[in-house]
Structures are given as structure tokens and as C-alpha cells.
Amino acid sequence: MPTVPTSGNVPHGLAAHEVLLSLDTDGEHGLTTEEATRRRERFGPNLLPATAGAGVVTRMLRQFHHPLIYVLIAAGAITAGLGEFVDSAVIFAVVVVNAIIGFVQESKAEGALDALRSMVRGEASVVRDGREEKVPAEDLVPGDLVRVAAGDKVPADLRLVRPAELRVDESALTGESAPVVKDEAVLPEPTPMADRRNMAYSGTLVTSGSGTGVTVATGARTELGRIHRLVGSAQTLATPLTEKLSWFSKVLTVAILSLAALTFGVGVVRGEKPVEMFTAAIALAVGAIPEGLPAAVTITLAIGVARMARRRAVIRRLPAVETLGGTTVICSDKTGTLTENQMTVRAVWTPDGEYEVTGSGYDPDGELRDGDANVVTAEASEALRWCLLAGAGCTDAAFVLDGGRRTLAGDPTEGAMLVAAGKGGLPPEQVTTACPRIATIPFTSARGYMATLHHDRATGDHVVLVKGAAERVLAMCRAQLTADGTAVPLRPDAVLAATERLAGRGLRVLATAIGPGHGATAPRLDEDALPGTLVLTGLQAMHDPPRPAAAAAVRACHTAGITVKMITGDHAKTATAIAGHLGLIGEGPDGRVLTETDLAALPAERYPDAVDRASVFARVSPEQKLRLVKALQARKHIVAMTGDGVNDAPALRQANIGIAMGTGGTEVAKEAADMVLTDDDFATIEAAVEEGRGVFDNLTKFIVWTLPTNIGEGMVILVAILIGARLPILPTQILWINMTTAVALGLMLAFEPKEAGIMNRPPRDPGRPLLTGALLIRILLVSALLVGGSWWIFKWEEAIGSGLTEARTAALNLFVTVGVFYLFSCRSLTRSMWRIGPLSNRWVIGGVTVQALGQAAITYLPAMNHLFRTAPIGAQSWLRIVAIAVLASLVVAVDKRLRRTA
Ligand code: ATP
């Protein structure tokens, strides 16, 4: 069994081979699969233990930390002191039940968010049995040989054995955001963590380079695990809106408590009985404080998050749910998000001719046909042969067998060129055997091309193969190749014209070139030496089909008042053609396509306006994205921006909604993002925006529904105090109304389906208050009806000789019944409840049934009558109650209708 190096035997203090030895691992072949399985059993999964968080007790106690609860506890104690033990018991019971409900709901919301984390699961590249494979990061065990590269999150604590220009952002652990350069040299044992350059720690991010390391600690034993244990990492449920609301309810609480204290004081001075005044003051406080509001908002947000996850948009930061609904611009990458990123070469152009390529996808079946539709192979022309060879040789992609299926490992652009070479009679194996590779200059978006140095076995010479963006490659060429293999003077105009023609068909065009592989003394590949030495061999043009749902999603965004902008590294013509196809811009040039060169030429003051008006940004580098986001934000836009690479991270952070790709994206991009698309599809962004709008609607509906009850109760009590009448409703009864209706009725609105036409309205203005004037008026109307109705019912019962208890019971039932009827009205803020179908939300039906049973119990069960001081009421009373509730519904219906036609 391996010994995991621990302090006294610290891995950074040992040479790499010593660490490998102590962990019983082979530095080339890694562990065997069987050994990995054994160790997995011994060490457990490479996961951070779920935070027991603040602990059940602390979390439960937190539920009591609320001003209203303090008031209730004080009221319960004083009531007991006055000898009213039943009332006191009811108040304490409510406090406890409220805490339990709060605790359960909070745990559920947190659980839902925690579950999301597992949807974006990390992977690791590990060498086992001598083969490199991808495994879920949780399967790593001490001793595993792990490869990391730019964009990866380090999956466990690694002692580096072969770092290659590896730079790691360790800010997650050390707080230092400048990337640290890694090497493998042995360090003195006391070296502090931040200076251990031969280690890569779990949870840190690789910003550039690559490296291999041996796993020395996993899960809770990593440095990250140690910190995790120290601070815990409870998911925060706060968002700007919940914070604003809890601030609002705190201010309100203080105001209402002062008012209650004032009434008590004034009443006592006026000579009222202190006990009665105390009861009235408590009733006022309990009734008017909207204590359920912040919790309901959090739960509605959590339900929204779960809905988005079902539509494949995983929210990483809760505030994003709120912001999504207000999105005004979506900046989307083209390749892979708007298109499939499934490339197929359709045409090959060489200086001596043009060829169409048949077949589809990565299927090797297909041919090259010349202008006369004759089938040709690479042998037809030297230019064609070298063009195909450059595509197949200058590549990091390969086809592998995965479970018997031929699949592409690597970049789809490169995969397409491998397939094209095969169709021309140059299968990849033949290319690697005939021209083994010696050196590489890798492709980056900024560089725009890739170059490789090969040994040409046929001639014994060395040759450089180059492929890349047409303008970039052309700029480095001195000549072009003919069919018989001679280099003749370059005709840049003809090459550019062919590029534009092919790009105009929506094809991605790459130029290929070859160059001499000889330096002054030895073969070499030097980036600075390439310009002026290359010979252009041709162009390959590939098709990347738009995603099936993308055009419809773009249309939906437009109807919803959201602008969609395409950002791509591709040629402007290619981008324009695809943008036209997706409906992003009209056909033909209309000045709405900007390239990086255009952007650079813009004076700073015109930049935001030009960016705002353009629909397509072509040939832009990821670095430009940050500037684009800032410019759009300066124009008061709420920007959603997609990204997948390391360089995209700053723009993702800056955007109001940073969106990373779950399948094709790097860990660095995911860390920076607010939302991750598990299917990389543009249509998912549109779906998430739709859900975001739905969440906001439901929040508004809840608030519009709940406030009249609070205002109504508060006003009823206040009026009673002012006119010196008996309370139409008692504190414990108010507690009953607030507690039961919030859970059984109000919360059901969080499950309300999205309204039809939700994407036909413009985005919400973020500066606009949650409640518009129209909604405030509706709230006041219903509040007034509640106040007037409950007094009328109360007085009527008294007038016909019912007892005080019956009269109060009738008033209590009025509040709840109006709440039930009004709930149906609130299911849509604009449309009539008949239009949405009164029975279409089964949650509401269930909630109403539960509430009805509750009302039957509190009205007719003797035990409940005793506890809440209620009494059975007759059918006539119910008729009056329902009549008022119907009246309230009618008033809201008329209000909606007037506003619709206004
Ligand atoms: P998008 O921004 O739409 O997702 P992209 O990120 O795929 O596009 P880049 O990868 O920056 O865009 O590619 C820009 C250009 O670089 C392409 O138009 C192509 O000409 C060239 N190119 C792309 N991939 C390679 C590669 N593997 N080797 C050489 N050149 C490439």
C-alpha cells in the first residue's frame, strides 16, 4: 500500500521520482485500473465532504432570529404572565411551527442548489495502464498520474513531475490572482503553500501551458478540503432582490412596532384596559408585518433554478435568475453555440483548380470532383496533394474507436480536414508514416494559424506545413504552388477573391501552405522566421450547420425585444452568411458587420454606439469581448455573453450574465460564469431567459397577493383602536391566517406555469420598481375591500345577535376566503382568470383544498374553537363571506380589463 506523503515526508520536499516511489506509481504508465479501484475503496471518492454547514441546531436557531419572532415570544410570555395560558400556548406553538416550516423550506432550497453543482461535474485526464483517459474527477486516487492543460481546474493536489510552461491561478487558495509559474524542482520543507512551485493544488485553475503531476491528496485531505472544513461553504441564498426585500420588511417591522407601541401608550393614557391594548398592539404588529416575504422570494427563486436546470441551463449564482429576465442583449459565440461545430469540407480551391467534396459529417465516404464532375485524388495535382497533406499533417486531431464507434478526438475544424484528405486518397495513418512530425506551433485564436515541422521520408527533406485563417497565411506566403509542383509568383487578389466567394457561401475557409524546413544549420520551426518563406497550396472551405433550434430561438429573442449579436473568430463573409441564415441580419451588406480591424479604427467616443448597432463581430479575438461587454453596458444594456476559453473569463465576469459551455467549455470559463449550458446550445439561453421572466412574474404575483392581507389586517386593527371598538379579529387568529395562507395558498404561485406571450413583451427595465402604480392600486383596492368587508361582516353578525366569538370567526373566514378567491385572480397579473383556466395549476387546487380543510377545522372542531376562540357559523354567514369574496374578484377582473383596454 502506498504511503501518502504527509508532513515530515512532504511531497514538495521530495524529488518527483521519490514521490512516485512512495506512492507506488509508475511515472509513465500510472496506476493499473485494478490498483486504482483498490485505492478508491481505501481512500474514498475525491469529493469535498458536504458541509454539514452551520449544523442543524444552529440553522434551526437561525429561524428564530427575526424581529417578528421576538415580538411573538415576548407576547407569548406576557400573555402567560396574564394567565391566558391557552393564548400563550398557541403563540408559542405558532413560533415553533413557523421555525420548522422555515427550516424545511430553507433546507429544500439549499438542497436544490447543491444538486445543481453535481450537474456540472469535473473531469480529469488520467494515465492508467499506460493510456490517457478522461474520468470523472471524483474517481481520482492518490498515486494517479494526472495531466492538466490550459483551461482545466486542477482536480486534486498534485506533485508536478513534468510541468511545461505551466501557469496556475491559485487565487481560490491564496487570494493571489497573478498566475504562478510552476516547475518541478525540490523545495525546502518549510516552504509556505503559496510558494510551492512544484505543486498544483486542487481547485486552482490552469491559465496556460500544461503539465503532468502525481496525485498526493484527494477529497477532504487536499489543501482545499482543509480550508473547506475551516470555513464551510454554505450556499448563499441571498440576491439583490431578497436583500432589498428583507431590508424593506425590517424597516416596515420597526415602523409597525413603533406604531403598535404608540397605540398601546395612547390607549393606556386614554384610560383603556392595558390588557386589551396590549392584545390590540400585538394584533397590529402580527397582522401588518409581511414576515413570509423574504422566504417566499427565496423559494420562488429556487424553484426557478430547478426549472432552468430541467431546460439544461445550470445557474451557478442565484442573482442570475433575477437578471436573466431583464436581459436586453445576448452576445453569442458562433461556432458550437449557434452552429453545431460539426465541420465538413465542401470545397477545395488550389491555384490551378477548384474541387467540390461530397459526403457529410465525419463519415469517410465521399469524393473530390473537379469542375467537370470527374472524381479526382491527390495525385491529380501537386497543389491539391500538398493542400490535403497540410490539412492532415498539421493537426492534433485524430479519429479513435470509442466503444466500436469511430469518433473524433480533437478540434472539429481539424477533423474535417482529416476526412477531406482521406477522401482524396491520403488517410491520416499514411500521412503520419510518410511525414512524421518533429515540432509544432499550436493554433491559438490570436495567432490565427498552426504550423508543424515534418520529415518528408520520400525526399529526405524537412518541410513545414501550415494551415490557418486565409489572410494570416497569405500574408506569410511568397509564392503559390502549381499543379506540377513549381512555385510561381503569388496572386493575392485571386486567393482573396476565392476566399470571399467561398466564405460568402457560409463556409469556414482555411488556407494551407508549405515551407522549407531548414534553418541555417538544423531543421527548425521558428514563428518569426515563417513570414516570406511559405508557398500557398490552396484553400479548404467547410460547412458547419446552424443548430436546428437556433433560428427559432433568435426569432423568439427578437420578439421578446432582446438583441442577439454574433461573435466569431471567423471571416466576416462566413459570419455574415450564417448570420443571414439565422435571421440575425438581413441579406446583403448593411454595415452591421464589424471586424476587429473596424473596431480598432473606431474613435473611442463612437465605439459604444457602433457596437450597439452592429449584429456581427467577425475575426475578433476573445480579448476584444471584454471591451464589447463594457461598451454595451455603457449603453445601459443588460448583457448576457457566452464563452468557453480561458481568455473569455474576464468578459464572462464582466457581463451581467456570463454563460459558459458545459460540454465544450474550459473549467476556467465555467468558474467565471453565472450560468452553464449543459448542451452548449443557443436555444437554451433563450429558454433560460424565458424561465427568468417567469420567475419574476411569480415573485410579483406572490407580493401582489400577500400584501393586501397584511395591510387589511393592520388597518382593521388600527380602525378598531381608533374608534375604541372591540377587535374584529384576535392576535392568534391573525397568526392562523398569516401562517396557513402563506404556505397553503401563496407559495403555490411559485409553481405557476409561465404565461403565454411571456416572450412577446419587452425586457423588464432593471430600474423599474417591482410593483408598478397599477399593481399598487390593485393592492390598495383589495386591502380596502378586506377592511370594509370584515367590518361589515363583523357588525352584521353582532347586529343579528350572534355572539362576539361567531362574529370574529366570520371575520377570520372572510380574510381567508377573499385570499382564496384573490389567489385565482393573481395567477395572472393581466389576463382574466377564466382565460388561463381556473383549474390549470394543480398546486393551487391542492393548496386551496388544504386551506378549506383547515378553515373547516378551525370553525367547527371544538378543540380548535377552544384554542383560537372561534365558534361554528351558519350557512347564511358563509353566503355573506362568499359574496364579498366574489365582489373582490369582480373588482380585480374589472381593474384588469380596464388596464388591458387602456
Ligand atoms: P467562434 O468565435 O464563432 O466560436 P471560433 O472560436 O471557432 O469561432 P477561432 O477558433 O478563433 O474561431 O478561429 C478563427 C479562425 O482561425 C477560423 O476562421 C479559421 O480560419 C482559423 N482556425 C480555426 N481553427 C483552426 C485550427 N485548428 N488550425 C488553424 N487554423 C484554425
Side-chain angles (χ1 to χ4, degrees):
M1 261 302 163
T3 50
V4 181
T6 50
S7 51
N9 185 17
V10 283
H12 63 265
L14 298 174
H17 70 269
E18 290 173 312
V19 179
L20 288 166
L21 199 68
S22 73
L23 285 161
D24 207 4
T25 306
D26 185 299
E28 288 301 323
H29 294 90
L31 297 174
T32 61
T33 310
E34 298 84 64
E35 180 58 23
T37 316
R38 262 198 298 279
R39 291 190 189 186
R40 164 95 199 232
E41 265 159 34
R42 176 174 161 202
F43 292 101
N46 176 29
L47 290 174
L48 293 182
T51 18
V56 176
V57 178
T58 323
R59 276 166 59 202
M60 191 69 203
L61 283 179
R62 231 178 16 218
Q63 305 298 326
F64 294 95
H65 177 55
H66 191 290
L68 183 82
I69 302 293
Y70 298 156
V71 174
L72 286 182
I73 292 174
I78 297 175
T79 320
L82 294 170
E84 302 281 353
F85 295 113
V86 176
D87 279 356
S88 167
V90 170
I91 293 177
F92 280 120
V94 165
V95 168
V96 172
V97 170
N98 179 56
I100 293 174
I101 294 176
F103 177 78
V104 170
Q105 286 175 340
E106 196 181 287
S107 311
K108 267 199 176 152
E110 278 175 4
L113 292 178
D114 280 345
L116 293 180
R117 285 196 213 145
S118 61
M119 289 186 66
V120 201
R121 194 169 269 157
E123 281 197 322
S125 286
V126 60
V127 182
R128 285 188 188 155
D129 301 316
R131 273 195 317 273
E132 186 170 340
E133 55 181 317
K134 284 233 183 281
V135 299
E138 64 175 86
D139 285 352
L140 289 184
V141 292
D144 258 330
L145 212 53
V146 173
R147 298 235 159 103
V148 288
D152 288 349
K153 187 170 175 177
V154 177
D157 285 0
L158 308 177
R159 166 64 164 94
L160 296 167
V161 288
R162 281 186 295 279
E165 293 182 25
L166 186 66
R167 272 168 218 265
V168 180
D169 171 354
E170 296 187 332
S171 53
L173 282 184
T174 60
E176 171 57 59
S177 61
V180 182
V181 185
K182 296 289 177 180
D183 56 37
E184 65 177 305
V186 181
L187 295 166
E189 275 186 21
T191 311
M193 194 180 73
D195 298 331
R196 293 180 201 158
R197 291 156 61 108
N198 57 14
M199 296 287 296
Y201 288 104
S202 179
T204 58
L205 299 166
V206 181
T207 55
S208 64
S210 59
T212 304
V214 56
T215 307
V216 294
T218 57
R221 287 173 294 272
T222 59
E223 292 294 332
L224 185 69
R226 284 237 280 277
I227 296 182
H228 189 75
R229 268 205 306 280
L230 288 180
V231 296
S233 73
Q235 171 84 35
T236 158
L237 294 175
T239 77
L241 183 68
T242 56
E243 274 162 17
K244 232 187 277 171
L245 282 174
S246 51
W247 176 83
F248 168 73
S249 44
K250 269 187 200 135
V251 172
L252 208 64
T253 306
V254 173
I256 293 167
L257 286 180
S258 320
L259 190 65
L262 194 71
T263 22
F264 178 75
V266 171
V268 171
V269 170
R270 236 171 40 183
E272 309 278 350
K273 277 199 229 137
V275 177
E276 268 177 24
M277 283 323 292
F278 175 73
T279 315
I282 293 296
L284 178 63
V286 172
I289 297 172
E291 65 278 359
L293 205 54
V297 171
T298 307
I299 289 161
T300 311
L301 288 175
I303 291 174
V305 167
R307 280 188 181 171
M308 290 181 188
R310 273 201 294 280
R311 298 185 74 175
R312 292 188 278 276
V314 176
I315 299 293
R316 294 191 67 247
R317 293 189 238 287
L318 200 56
V321 184
E322 267 171 55
T323 325
L324 263 171
T327 307
T328 59
V329 177
I330 303 175
C331 295
S332 173
D333 283 339
K334 171 177 74 67
T335 315
T337 310
L338 286 163
T339 67
E340 301 254 24
N341 202 9
Q342 291 269 331
M343 307 275 176
T344 316
V345 175
R346 284 279 169 82
V348 178
W349 178 93
T350 62
D352 58 286
E354 191 162 332
Y355 309 86
E356 286 300 313
V357 186
T358 64
S360 70
Y362 302 130
D363 189 341
D365 292 337
E367 303 147 340
L368 267 66
R369 292 171 190 265
D370 64 14
D372 302 322
N374 298 320
V375 176
V376 293
T377 65
E379 303 307 321
S381 137
E382 275 300 279
L384 178 62
R385 190 170 80 85
W386 280 108
C387 178
L388 295 177
L389 229 130
C394 176
T395 189
D396 285 329
F399 283 95
V400 291
L401 282 180
D402 181 11
R405 262 187 42 230
R406 180 172 168 275
T407 42
L408 174 68
D411 179 1
T413 300
E414 302 193 342
M417 296 176 101
L418 282 178
V419 174
K423 288 174 182 170
L426 293 173
E429 318 74 71
Q430 192 177 318
V431 176
T432 28
T433 325
C435 290
R437 190 199 302 190
I438 301 167
T440 307
I441 300 174
F443 169 77
T444 63
S445 290
R447 186 177 281 132
Y449 71 89
M450 170 173 177
T452 45
L453 175 66
H454 298 256
H455 178 216
D456 183 353
R457 287 225 166 97
T459 59
D461 278 347
H462 286 90
V463 59
V464 174
L465 301 179
V466 179
K467 71 175 196 318
E471 317 88 273
R472 291 290 294 122
V473 175
L474 192 63
M476 296 191 291
C477 289
R478 63 171 176 85
Q480 61 189 41
L481 205 65
T482 59
D484 62 9
T486 44
V488 296
L490 190 66
R491 289 184 49 218
D493 294 349
V495 183
L496 286 176
T499 307
E500 299 226 337
R501 188 165 40 75
L502 291 166
R505 285 165 56 186
L507 302 174
R508 159 174 281 205
V509 185
L510 272 85
T512 55
I514 54 173
H518 282 290
T521 50
R524 68 183 188 127
L525 186 60
D526 179 354
E527 190 167 358
D528 298 330
L530 284 182
T533 63
L534 300 182
V535 178
L536 184 98
T537 56
L539 305 170
Q540 295 197 28
M542 52 194 81
H543 174 64
D544 178 16
R547 282 183 178 267
V554 168
R555 266 198 309 281
C557 286
H558 286 167
T559 322
I562 301 166
T563 318
V564 181
K565 297 181 189 292
M566 175 200 274
I567 300 184
T568 176
D570 251 335
H571 194 283
K573 280 268 161 51
T574 313
T576 310
I578 293 179
H581 190 90
L582 290 169
L584 283 174
I585 44 173
E587 296 298 324
D590 57 1
R592 295 210 279 158
V593 181
L594 293 177
T595 62
E596 183 137 348
T597 327
D598 299 333
L599 290 170
L602 279 171
E605 67 281 5
R606 282 195 43 221
Y607 188 90
D609 181 53
V611 166
D612 200 358
R613 273 191 285 131
S615 307
V616 174
F617 301 93
R619 285 282 192 250
V620 291
S621 57
E623 288 74 16
Q624 189 68 235
K625 283 184 173 179
L626 180 62
R627 215 178 149 206
L628 290 178
V629 176
K630 286 187 174 163
L632 289 168
Q633 286 171 333
R635 304 277 297 176
K636 301 270 175 290
H637 279 297
I638 303 288
V639 187
M641 163 76 82
T642 70
D644 44 20
V646 179
N647 301 343
D648 290 330
L652 293 183
R653 262 190 228 110
Q654 174 71 29
N656 303 77
I657 308 276
I659 305 171
M661 302 300 135
T663 328
T666 57
E667 291 299 322
V668 174
K670 287 182 210 166
E671 287 290 311
D674 301 290
M675 177 166 104
V676 177
L677 308 181
T678 56
D679 60 358
D680 296 8
D681 193 340
F682 177 80
T684 305
I685 307 178
E686 188 257 322
V689 170
E690 192 181 331
E691 291 297 341
R693 289 184 173 196
V695 168
F696 225 88
D697 272 5
N698 287 355
L699 280 178
T700 317
K701 288 172 192 174
F702 178 82
I703 294 170
V704 170
W705 175 83
T706 195
L707 286 185
T709 309
N710 293 113
I711 300 177
E713 289 165 346
M715 293 302 289
V716 165
I717 306 294
L718 211 58
V719 171
I721 297 170
L722 288 179
I723 62 174
R726 277 179 298 191
L727 295 183
I729 182 159
L730 295 171
T732 48
Q733 295 168 347
I734 289 184
L735 280 179
W736 166 271
I737 301 175
N738 290 3
M739 296 298 164
T740 59
T741 62
V743 178
L745 304 179
L747 260 190
M748 301 306 146
L749 289 172
F751 297 97
E752 193 57 38
K754 287 175 300 297
E755 293 199 27
I758 198 166
M759 291 296 271
N760 292 341
R761 6 181 249 234
R764 189 176 58 84
D765 173 359
R768 205 186 68 187
L770 199 62
L771 296 177
T772 56
L775 290 178
L776 277 176
I777 290 176
R778 187 174 304 165
I779 291 172
L780 291 179
L781 272 177
V782 179
S783 310
L785 273 166
L786 276 172
V787 178
S790 53
W791 271 104
W792 179 69
I793 291 267
F794 182 70
K795 287 285 164 202
W796 185 294
E797 293 288 340
E798 278 193 324
I800 61 168
S802 316
L804 177 62
T805 316
E806 282 80 2
R808 282 185 174 145
T809 312
L812 159 92
N813 275 309
L814 175 88
F815 268 96
V816 176
T817 312
V818 171
V820 168
F821 276 65
Y822 183 45
L823 181 72
F824 284 96
S825 306
C826 285
R827 290 188 46 216
S828 170
L829 294 173
T830 49
R831 296 186 322 145
S832 118
M833 73 167 142
W834 302 109
R835 288 206 134 230
I836 49 173
L839 306 180
S840 55
N841 180 347
R842 58 195 168 84
W843 290 92
V844 167
I845 304 299
V848 168
T849 313
V850 170
Q851 186 72 47
L853 291 175
Q855 290 316 111
I858 198 171
T859 314
Y860 297 106
L861 282 187
M864 296 286 274
N865 291 160
H866 179 63
L867 284 178
F868 288 92
R869 300 184 189 210
T870 50
I873 53 170
Q876 300 253 328
S877 307
W878 279 111
L879 271 180
R880 281 187 291 276
I881 290 171
V882 171
I884 294 175
V886 170
L887 178 69
S889 290
L890 283 177
V891 168
V892 176
V894 170
D895 177 52
K896 279 188 193 173
R897 168 138 224 138
L898 289 179
R899 299 211 178 268
R900 271 204 306 276
T901 46

